Amino acid sequence: MSTTTLLFYLLAAAAIVSASFVISCHKALHSALSLMVTLLSLAGLYLMLYAPFVASVQVLVYAGAIMASFLIAIAIVKNVTTSEKSHSNPDWIIRLASACPLIAFFFYAFAKSRQLFPDRMVVAQGSNTQQIATLLYGEPGRIGPYTLTLEIAALLLLVAILGAIIMTAIIMTKNVQITD
Amino acid sequence: MLPIATFHYLAVAAALFVLGVVGVLTRRSVLVSLLSIELILNAANLNLLAFSHMWGNLYGQVFAIFVTVIAAAQVIVGLGIAIAFLRSPNTSLRTSIGTSPDQT
């Protein structure tokens, strides 16, 4: 067994085991920390797929910033960190059974289409980050194919931040009664 | 032992996706549901990168970055909703969003 194969199985096992901890831990804090392990091992898998920029974004933004905001939210909402009496819904067997057709579908699709996925290497022309930047921002004098999409994504982030501020700060301080 | 091909990455992504779906369906707490949605998005990311590697171009990696942006926006809005509702004095709202009322 080569080192690459060993590394893949190690990272895949770490990702799947910690992902099962995410959905089985009783405390939300433990789930968040397990998800951090999942994200870091997925970053390793991204490196094996010759995607170093996405892997660094995964570590810095996903495992860093997003999970930090998750931990802050768990710290704010203290009652969620206390252990739940029954941590799952009472009809969890039905819900678990409803996910089984999904698993069966994945197995069927993989069994049918396995030979359709050959292995291929990325042909290296310039650095990975430079090529992604060319796709996102374009070259001098010419915008890239995804420049407009990038601007829309930036606008979406701005709107999301404003919405979060309105929902938490303004609604909480004015103590608005929201009725359902 | 087979060499590591695209298929293996797709299998890992499918396992993560199913775990995320099970977490969204079975867990009661809204914060853990949000964490499971992160698992689903990461499975999609792994699929995008595996296919990008298979075809030898970078479009999948660009879309993986966009998925990360969408995930960040979703986490911001979802946590805002969760905090605003879980801290609201209205107890029935807290029950309807997914935590049991005896936890206060």
Side-chain angles (χ1 to χ4, degrees), chain A residues 107-162:
Chain A
F107 271 109
Y108 175 75
F110 283 164
K112 279 287 181 190
S113 62
R114 177 162 190 166
Q115 67 276 13
L116 291 180
F117 303 133
D119 197 19
R120 219 173 117 181
M121 300 276 284
V122 172
V123 185
Q125 307 162 340
S127 76
N128 177 267
T129 311
Q130 186 182 3
Q131 285 176 308
I132 289 178
T134 309
L135 279 176
L136 281 179
Y137 298 103
E139 290 148 309
R142 192 173 68 82
I143 65 167
Y146 292 108
T147 308
L148 186 62
T149 322
L150 185 79
E151 298 297 330
I152 293 171
L155 205 61
L156 177 80
L157 265 184
L158 183 65
V159 170
I161 291 169
L162 290 180

Short mmCIF file of all heavy atoms in Angstrom, two decimals, chain A residues 107-162:
data_model
loop_
_atom_site.label_atom_id
_atom_site.label_comp_id
_atom_site.label_asym_id
_atom_site.label_seq_id
_atom_site.Cartn_x
_atom_site.Cartn_y
_atom_site.Cartn_z
N PHE A 107 -25.71 3.82 -3.41
CA PHE A 107 -25.08 2.54 -3.73
C PHE A 107 -25.41 2.12 -5.15
O PHE A 107 -24.54 1.68 -5.91
CB PHE A 107 -25.54 1.47 -2.74
CG PHE A 107 -24.66 1.39 -1.53
CD1 PHE A 107 -25.11 1.81 -0.30
CD2 PHE A 107 -23.37 0.89 -1.64
CE1 PHE A 107 -24.30 1.75 0.82
CE2 PHE A 107 -22.56 0.82 -0.52
CZ PHE A 107 -23.03 1.27 0.70
N TYR A 108 -26.67 2.30 -5.56
CA TYR A 108 -27.10 1.93 -6.90
C TYR A 108 -26.36 2.75 -7.95
O TYR A 108 -25.83 2.22 -8.93
CB TYR A 108 -28.60 2.12 -7.02
CG TYR A 108 -29.15 1.88 -8.40
CD1 TYR A 108 -29.28 0.59 -8.89
CD2 TYR A 108 -29.53 2.94 -9.21
CE1 TYR A 108 -29.76 0.36 -10.15
CE2 TYR A 108 -30.01 2.72 -10.47
CZ TYR A 108 -30.13 1.44 -10.94
OH TYR A 108 -30.60 1.22 -12.20
N ALA A 109 -26.30 4.08 -7.71
CA ALA A 109 -25.66 4.95 -8.70
C ALA A 109 -24.18 4.63 -8.82
O ALA A 109 -23.64 4.59 -9.93
CB ALA A 109 -25.86 6.41 -8.28
N PHE A 110 -23.53 4.33 -7.70
CA PHE A 110 -22.10 4.04 -7.77
C PHE A 110 -21.85 2.70 -8.44
O PHE A 110 -20.91 2.53 -9.20
CB PHE A 110 -21.50 4.05 -6.37
CG PHE A 110 -21.29 5.44 -5.86
CD1 PHE A 110 -21.08 5.67 -4.52
CD2 PHE A 110 -21.32 6.52 -6.72
CE1 PHE A 110 -20.90 6.96 -4.05
CE2 PHE A 110 -21.14 7.80 -6.27
CZ PHE A 110 -20.93 8.00 -4.93
N ALA A 111 -22.71 1.72 -8.15
CA ALA A 111 -22.53 0.41 -8.76
C ALA A 111 -22.73 0.49 -10.27
O ALA A 111 -22.07 -0.20 -11.04
CB ALA A 111 -23.52 -0.58 -8.15
N LYS A 112 -23.64 1.37 -10.70
CA LYS A 112 -23.91 1.49 -12.13
C LYS A 112 -22.82 2.26 -12.85
O LYS A 112 -22.50 1.97 -13.99
CB LYS A 112 -25.25 2.20 -12.33
CG LYS A 112 -26.45 1.30 -12.17
CD LYS A 112 -26.58 0.36 -13.35
CE LYS A 112 -27.80 -0.51 -13.20
NZ LYS A 112 -27.82 -1.58 -14.20
N SER A 113 -22.28 3.29 -12.19
CA SER A 113 -21.47 4.26 -12.94
C SER A 113 -20.02 4.24 -12.52
O SER A 113 -19.31 5.19 -12.75
CB SER A 113 -22.05 5.65 -12.73
OG SER A 113 -21.99 5.98 -11.37
N ARG A 114 -19.57 3.16 -11.92
CA ARG A 114 -18.23 3.17 -11.37
C ARG A 114 -17.16 3.32 -12.48
O ARG A 114 -16.19 4.05 -12.33
CB ARG A 114 -18.00 1.88 -10.61
CG ARG A 114 -16.60 1.79 -10.09
CD ARG A 114 -16.49 0.77 -9.01
NE ARG A 114 -15.19 0.89 -8.40
CZ ARG A 114 -14.85 0.34 -7.28
NH1 ARG A 114 -15.73 -0.37 -6.62
NH2 ARG A 114 -13.66 0.50 -6.77
N GLN A 115 -17.38 2.64 -13.60
CA GLN A 115 -16.36 2.69 -14.64
C GLN A 115 -16.36 4.02 -15.38
O GLN A 115 -15.50 4.27 -16.22
CB GLN A 115 -16.55 1.54 -15.63
CG GLN A 115 -17.81 1.63 -16.45
CD GLN A 115 -19.01 1.05 -15.71
OE1 GLN A 115 -18.94 0.80 -14.51
NE2 GLN A 115 -20.11 0.86 -16.41
N LEU A 116 -17.32 4.88 -15.09
CA LEU A 116 -17.38 6.17 -15.75
C LEU A 116 -16.42 7.17 -15.15
O LEU A 116 -16.28 8.27 -15.66
CB LEU A 116 -18.80 6.76 -15.66
CG LEU A 116 -19.88 6.06 -16.46
CD1 LEU A 116 -21.19 6.76 -16.26
CD2 LEU A 116 -19.52 6.05 -17.92
N PHE A 117 -15.79 6.82 -14.03
CA PHE A 117 -14.95 7.79 -13.34
C PHE A 117 -13.49 7.41 -13.47
O PHE A 117 -12.96 6.73 -12.61
CB PHE A 117 -15.33 7.89 -11.86
CG PHE A 117 -16.76 8.24 -11.63
CD1 PHE A 117 -17.51 7.52 -10.73
CD2 PHE A 117 -17.34 9.29 -12.31
CE1 PHE A 117 -18.83 7.85 -10.50
CE2 PHE A 117 -18.65 9.62 -12.11
CZ PHE A 117 -19.39 8.90 -11.20
N PRO A 118 -12.82 7.79 -14.53
CA PRO A 118 -11.39 7.50 -14.61
C PRO A 118 -10.59 8.48 -13.75
O PRO A 118 -11.09 9.54 -13.38
CB PRO A 118 -11.09 7.72 -16.08
CG PRO A 118 -12.06 8.76 -16.49
CD PRO A 118 -13.28 8.55 -15.68
N ASP A 119 -9.38 8.11 -13.44
CA ASP A 119 -8.51 9.00 -12.69
C ASP A 119 -7.68 9.82 -13.66
O ASP A 119 -7.19 9.31 -14.67
CB ASP A 119 -7.60 8.19 -11.78
CG ASP A 119 -6.99 9.07 -10.71
OD1 ASP A 119 -7.56 10.16 -10.47
OD2 ASP A 119 -5.97 8.69 -10.15
N ARG A 120 -7.56 11.09 -13.37
CA ARG A 120 -6.81 11.96 -14.26
C ARG A 120 -6.10 13.02 -13.45
O ARG A 120 -6.62 13.47 -12.45
CB ARG A 120 -7.75 12.62 -15.27
CG ARG A 120 -7.15 12.72 -16.65
CD ARG A 120 -8.20 13.22 -17.59
NE ARG A 120 -7.82 14.49 -18.15
CZ ARG A 120 -8.57 15.16 -18.98
NH1 ARG A 120 -9.74 14.68 -19.35
NH2 ARG A 120 -8.18 16.31 -19.46
N MET A 121 -4.95 13.43 -13.93
CA MET A 121 -4.20 14.44 -13.21
C MET A 121 -4.50 15.82 -13.78
O MET A 121 -4.76 15.97 -14.97
CB MET A 121 -2.69 14.17 -13.35
CG MET A 121 -2.25 12.85 -12.81
SD MET A 121 -1.98 12.93 -11.07
CE MET A 121 -0.40 13.80 -11.07
N VAL A 122 -4.45 16.83 -12.92
CA VAL A 122 -4.57 18.20 -13.39
C VAL A 122 -3.26 18.60 -14.06
O VAL A 122 -2.19 18.42 -13.49
CB VAL A 122 -4.88 19.14 -12.22
CG1 VAL A 122 -4.83 20.59 -12.67
CG2 VAL A 122 -6.24 18.83 -11.66
N VAL A 123 -3.35 19.10 -15.29
CA VAL A 123 -2.15 19.55 -15.97
C VAL A 123 -1.76 20.90 -15.38
O VAL A 123 -2.56 21.84 -15.38
CB VAL A 123 -2.40 19.68 -17.48
CG1 VAL A 123 -1.12 20.03 -18.19
CG2 VAL A 123 -2.98 18.40 -18.01
N ALA A 124 -0.54 20.96 -14.87
CA ALA A 124 -0.13 22.17 -14.17
C ALA A 124 0.35 23.22 -15.17
O ALA A 124 1.30 23.01 -15.90
CB ALA A 124 0.99 21.84 -13.19
N GLN A 125 -0.38 24.34 -15.25
CA GLN A 125 0.07 25.48 -16.04
C GLN A 125 -0.03 26.69 -15.13
O GLN A 125 -1.12 27.19 -14.89
CB GLN A 125 -0.81 25.71 -17.27
CG GLN A 125 -0.97 24.49 -18.14
CD GLN A 125 -2.15 24.62 -19.06
OE1 GLN A 125 -3.05 25.41 -18.83
NE2 GLN A 125 -2.15 23.83 -20.12
N GLY A 126 1.08 27.15 -14.61
CA GLY A 126 1.02 28.21 -13.63
C GLY A 126 0.52 27.66 -12.31
O GLY A 126 0.14 26.50 -12.22
N SER A 127 0.48 28.53 -11.31
CA SER A 127 0.07 28.04 -10.00
C SER A 127 -1.44 27.93 -9.93
O SER A 127 -2.17 28.59 -10.67
CB SER A 127 0.60 28.96 -8.91
OG SER A 127 -0.17 30.12 -8.87
N ASN A 128 -1.90 27.10 -9.03
CA ASN A 128 -3.32 26.86 -8.83
C ASN A 128 -4.05 28.14 -8.46
O ASN A 128 -5.10 28.48 -9.02
CB ASN A 128 -3.47 25.80 -7.75
CG ASN A 128 -4.91 25.52 -7.40
OD1 ASN A 128 -5.44 26.11 -6.48
ND2 ASN A 128 -5.55 24.63 -8.15
N THR A 129 -3.46 28.90 -7.53
CA THR A 129 -4.09 30.13 -7.06
C THR A 129 -4.19 31.15 -8.19
O THR A 129 -5.21 31.84 -8.33
CB THR A 129 -3.28 30.71 -5.89
OG1 THR A 129 -3.02 29.68 -4.95
CG2 THR A 129 -4.03 31.83 -5.22
N GLN A 130 -3.15 31.20 -9.03
CA GLN A 130 -3.17 32.16 -10.13
C GLN A 130 -4.26 31.81 -11.14
O GLN A 130 -4.97 32.69 -11.64
CB GLN A 130 -1.79 32.15 -10.80
CG GLN A 130 -1.64 33.23 -11.87
CD GLN A 130 -0.29 33.15 -12.52
OE1 GLN A 130 0.51 32.27 -12.22
NE2 GLN A 130 -0.04 34.09 -13.42
N GLN A 131 -4.42 30.52 -11.41
CA GLN A 131 -5.47 30.12 -12.36
C GLN A 131 -6.86 30.42 -11.82
O GLN A 131 -7.74 30.88 -12.55
CB GLN A 131 -5.32 28.64 -12.66
CG GLN A 131 -4.16 28.32 -13.57
CD GLN A 131 -4.00 26.84 -13.77
OE1 GLN A 131 -3.94 26.09 -12.80
NE2 GLN A 131 -3.95 26.42 -15.00
N ILE A 132 -7.06 30.16 -10.52
CA ILE A 132 -8.36 30.47 -9.92
C ILE A 132 -8.62 31.96 -9.97
O ILE A 132 -9.74 32.40 -10.26
CB ILE A 132 -8.41 29.92 -8.48
CG1 ILE A 132 -8.48 28.40 -8.51
CG2 ILE A 132 -9.61 30.46 -7.73
CD1 ILE A 132 -8.49 27.76 -7.16
N ALA A 133 -7.58 32.76 -9.70
CA ALA A 133 -7.75 34.21 -9.75
C ALA A 133 -8.09 34.67 -11.15
O ALA A 133 -8.91 35.57 -11.34
CB ALA A 133 -6.48 34.90 -9.26
N THR A 134 -7.48 34.04 -12.18
CA THR A 134 -7.81 34.40 -13.56
C THR A 134 -9.26 34.07 -13.88
O THR A 134 -9.94 34.83 -14.56
CB THR A 134 -6.87 33.65 -14.52
OG1 THR A 134 -5.54 33.86 -14.11
CG2 THR A 134 -7.06 34.14 -15.94
N LEU A 135 -9.74 32.93 -13.36
CA LEU A 135 -11.14 32.58 -13.60
C LEU A 135 -12.08 33.53 -12.87
O LEU A 135 -13.14 33.88 -13.37
CB LEU A 135 -11.41 31.15 -13.14
CG LEU A 135 -11.02 30.03 -14.09
CD1 LEU A 135 -11.26 28.69 -13.43
CD2 LEU A 135 -11.83 30.11 -15.36
N LEU A 136 -11.70 33.94 -11.65
CA LEU A 136 -12.60 34.75 -10.84
C LEU A 136 -12.57 36.21 -11.25
O LEU A 136 -13.62 36.85 -11.39
CB LEU A 136 -12.23 34.63 -9.36
CG LEU A 136 -12.68 33.38 -8.63
CD1 LEU A 136 -12.21 33.42 -7.20
CD2 LEU A 136 -14.17 33.25 -8.66
N TYR A 137 -11.36 36.76 -11.45
CA TYR A 137 -11.25 38.20 -11.67
C TYR A 137 -10.90 38.56 -13.10
O TYR A 137 -11.03 39.71 -13.48
CB TYR A 137 -10.19 38.79 -10.74
CG TYR A 137 -10.50 38.62 -9.29
CD1 TYR A 137 -9.86 37.65 -8.54
CD2 TYR A 137 -11.44 39.41 -8.67
CE1 TYR A 137 -10.15 37.48 -7.20
CE2 TYR A 137 -11.75 39.25 -7.34
CZ TYR A 137 -11.11 38.29 -6.61
OH TYR A 137 -11.41 38.11 -5.30
N GLY A 138 -10.40 37.62 -13.89
CA GLY A 138 -10.03 37.92 -15.26
C GLY A 138 -8.60 38.40 -15.38
O GLY A 138 -7.90 38.61 -14.39
N GLU A 139 -8.16 38.52 -16.62
CA GLU A 139 -6.82 39.03 -16.87
C GLU A 139 -6.90 40.54 -17.06
O GLU A 139 -8.00 41.08 -17.16
CB GLU A 139 -6.25 38.37 -18.13
CG GLU A 139 -5.92 36.91 -17.92
CD GLU A 139 -6.11 36.09 -19.18
OE1 GLU A 139 -7.18 36.18 -19.80
OE2 GLU A 139 -5.19 35.38 -19.53
N PRO A 140 -5.77 41.25 -17.13
CA PRO A 140 -5.81 42.69 -17.38
C PRO A 140 -6.51 43.01 -18.69
O PRO A 140 -6.14 42.49 -19.75
CB PRO A 140 -4.33 43.08 -17.42
CG PRO A 140 -3.66 42.07 -16.58
CD PRO A 140 -4.43 40.80 -16.76
N GLY A 141 -7.53 43.85 -18.64
CA GLY A 141 -8.26 44.25 -19.84
C GLY A 141 -9.40 43.33 -20.19
O GLY A 141 -10.09 43.56 -21.19
N ARG A 142 -9.63 42.28 -19.40
CA ARG A 142 -10.70 41.34 -19.75
C ARG A 142 -11.21 40.71 -18.46
O ARG A 142 -10.43 40.22 -17.66
CB ARG A 142 -10.15 40.26 -20.67
CG ARG A 142 -11.22 39.39 -21.33
CD ARG A 142 -10.55 38.48 -22.33
NE ARG A 142 -9.70 37.48 -21.67
CZ ARG A 142 -10.19 36.35 -21.13
NH1 ARG A 142 -11.46 36.08 -21.19
NH2 ARG A 142 -9.38 35.49 -20.57
N ILE A 143 -12.51 40.77 -18.26
CA ILE A 143 -13.04 40.17 -17.04
C ILE A 143 -13.16 38.66 -17.24
O ILE A 143 -13.28 38.17 -18.35
CB ILE A 143 -14.41 40.77 -16.66
CG1 ILE A 143 -15.47 40.43 -17.70
CG2 ILE A 143 -14.32 42.26 -16.44
CD1 ILE A 143 -16.87 40.70 -17.24
N GLY A 144 -13.11 37.96 -16.13
CA GLY A 144 -13.15 36.51 -16.18
C GLY A 144 -14.56 36.00 -16.34
O GLY A 144 -15.53 36.77 -16.27
N PRO A 145 -14.71 34.69 -16.54
CA PRO A 145 -16.06 34.12 -16.72
C PRO A 145 -16.90 34.14 -15.45
O PRO A 145 -18.11 34.01 -15.52
CB PRO A 145 -15.78 32.69 -17.19
CG PRO A 145 -14.41 32.40 -16.71
CD PRO A 145 -13.66 33.69 -16.76
N TYR A 146 -16.25 34.28 -14.27
CA TYR A 146 -17.01 34.21 -13.03
C TYR A 146 -16.94 35.52 -12.25
O TYR A 146 -17.21 35.54 -11.06
CB TYR A 146 -16.49 33.06 -12.16
CG TYR A 146 -16.79 31.72 -12.76
CD1 TYR A 146 -15.79 30.94 -13.30
CD2 TYR A 146 -18.10 31.26 -12.81
CE1 TYR A 146 -16.07 29.71 -13.87
CE2 TYR A 146 -18.39 30.04 -13.38
CZ TYR A 146 -17.37 29.27 -13.91
OH TYR A 146 -17.66 28.07 -14.47
N THR A 147 -16.57 36.63 -12.92
CA THR A 147 -16.45 37.90 -12.19
C THR A 147 -17.81 38.37 -11.70
O THR A 147 -17.95 38.80 -10.54
CB THR A 147 -15.83 38.95 -13.11
OG1 THR A 147 -14.62 38.42 -13.65
CG2 THR A 147 -15.53 40.21 -12.34
N LEU A 148 -18.83 38.28 -12.55
CA LEU A 148 -20.17 38.72 -12.15
C LEU A 148 -20.69 37.85 -11.01
O LEU A 148 -21.30 38.36 -10.05
CB LEU A 148 -21.11 38.64 -13.35
CG LEU A 148 -22.51 39.21 -13.12
CD1 LEU A 148 -22.43 40.69 -12.81
CD2 LEU A 148 -23.38 38.98 -14.33
N THR A 149 -20.42 36.55 -11.09
CA THR A 149 -20.85 35.64 -10.01
C THR A 149 -20.18 36.01 -8.70
O THR A 149 -20.80 35.97 -7.63
CB THR A 149 -20.49 34.20 -10.39
OG1 THR A 149 -20.70 34.02 -11.76
CG2 THR A 149 -21.34 33.23 -9.62
N LEU A 150 -18.90 36.40 -8.78
CA LEU A 150 -18.18 36.80 -7.57
C LEU A 150 -18.80 38.04 -6.96
O LEU A 150 -18.97 38.12 -5.73
CB LEU A 150 -16.72 37.04 -7.93
CG LEU A 150 -15.80 37.34 -6.75
CD1 LEU A 150 -15.45 36.07 -6.06
CD2 LEU A 150 -14.56 38.05 -7.21
N GLU A 151 -19.17 39.01 -7.82
CA GLU A 151 -19.80 40.23 -7.29
C GLU A 151 -21.13 39.91 -6.63
O GLU A 151 -21.46 40.45 -5.57
CB GLU A 151 -20.00 41.23 -8.44
CG GLU A 151 -18.73 41.69 -9.10
CD GLU A 151 -17.82 42.42 -8.15
OE1 GLU A 151 -18.34 43.07 -7.24
OE2 GLU A 151 -16.59 42.32 -8.32
N ILE A 152 -21.89 39.00 -7.25
CA ILE A 152 -23.19 38.62 -6.66
C ILE A 152 -22.98 37.93 -5.32
O ILE A 152 -23.71 38.16 -4.35
CB ILE A 152 -23.97 37.73 -7.65
CG1 ILE A 152 -24.37 38.55 -8.87
CG2 ILE A 152 -25.22 37.17 -6.99
CD1 ILE A 152 -24.96 37.72 -9.97
N ALA A 153 -21.93 37.10 -5.23
CA ALA A 153 -21.64 36.42 -3.97
C ALA A 153 -21.26 37.42 -2.89
O ALA A 153 -21.67 37.30 -1.73
CB ALA A 153 -20.53 35.39 -4.18
N ALA A 154 -20.48 38.44 -3.28
CA ALA A 154 -20.11 39.48 -2.30
C ALA A 154 -21.34 40.22 -1.82
O ALA A 154 -21.50 40.50 -0.62
CB ALA A 154 -19.11 40.45 -2.94
N LEU A 155 -22.26 40.52 -2.75
CA LEU A 155 -23.51 41.20 -2.38
C LEU A 155 -24.34 40.32 -1.44
O LEU A 155 -24.93 40.81 -0.47
CB LEU A 155 -24.30 41.50 -3.66
CG LEU A 155 -25.28 42.66 -3.60
CD1 LEU A 155 -24.52 43.93 -3.29
CD2 LEU A 155 -26.01 42.79 -4.91
N LEU A 156 -24.36 39.03 -1.73
CA LEU A 156 -25.12 38.10 -0.87
C LEU A 156 -24.57 38.09 0.55
O LEU A 156 -25.32 38.11 1.53
CB LEU A 156 -25.06 36.70 -1.47
CG LEU A 156 -25.75 35.61 -0.65
CD1 LEU A 156 -27.23 35.65 -0.89
CD2 LEU A 156 -25.20 34.25 -1.00
N LEU A 157 -23.23 38.10 0.67
CA LEU A 157 -22.62 38.13 2.00
C LEU A 157 -22.99 39.40 2.74
O LEU A 157 -23.30 39.38 3.93
CB LEU A 157 -21.10 38.03 1.87
CG LEU A 157 -20.51 36.64 2.01
CD1 LEU A 157 -19.00 36.74 1.95
CD2 LEU A 157 -20.92 36.00 3.30
N LEU A 158 -22.98 40.54 2.01
CA LEU A 158 -23.32 41.81 2.64
C LEU A 158 -24.76 41.79 3.15
O LEU A 158 -25.04 42.19 4.30
CB LEU A 158 -23.14 42.94 1.62
CG LEU A 158 -23.39 44.35 2.14
CD1 LEU A 158 -22.37 44.71 3.19
CD2 LEU A 158 -23.36 45.33 1.01
N VAL A 159 -25.67 41.30 2.31
CA VAL A 159 -27.08 41.23 2.71
C VAL A 159 -27.25 40.30 3.91
O VAL A 159 -28.00 40.59 4.85
CB VAL A 159 -27.94 40.76 1.51
CG1 VAL A 159 -29.34 40.46 1.96
CG2 VAL A 159 -27.96 41.82 0.45
N ALA A 160 -26.49 39.18 3.93
CA ALA A 160 -26.59 38.22 5.05
C ALA A 160 -26.11 38.86 6.34
O ALA A 160 -26.71 38.69 7.40
CB ALA A 160 -25.78 36.97 4.74
N ILE A 161 -25.02 39.64 6.26
CA ILE A 161 -24.50 40.30 7.47
C ILE A 161 -25.51 41.31 7.99
O ILE A 161 -25.81 41.37 9.19
CB ILE A 161 -23.14 40.97 7.16
CG1 ILE A 161 -22.08 39.91 6.92
CG2 ILE A 161 -22.72 41.86 8.30
CD1 ILE A 161 -20.81 40.46 6.36
N LEU A 162 -26.09 42.11 7.07
CA LEU A 162 -27.09 43.09 7.50
C LEU A 162 -28.30 42.40 8.11
O LEU A 162 -28.83 42.85 9.14
CB LEU A 162 -27.51 43.96 6.31
CG LEU A 162 -26.45 44.94 5.80
CD1 LEU A 162 -26.99 45.72 4.63
CD2 LEU A 162 -26.05 45.88 6.92
#
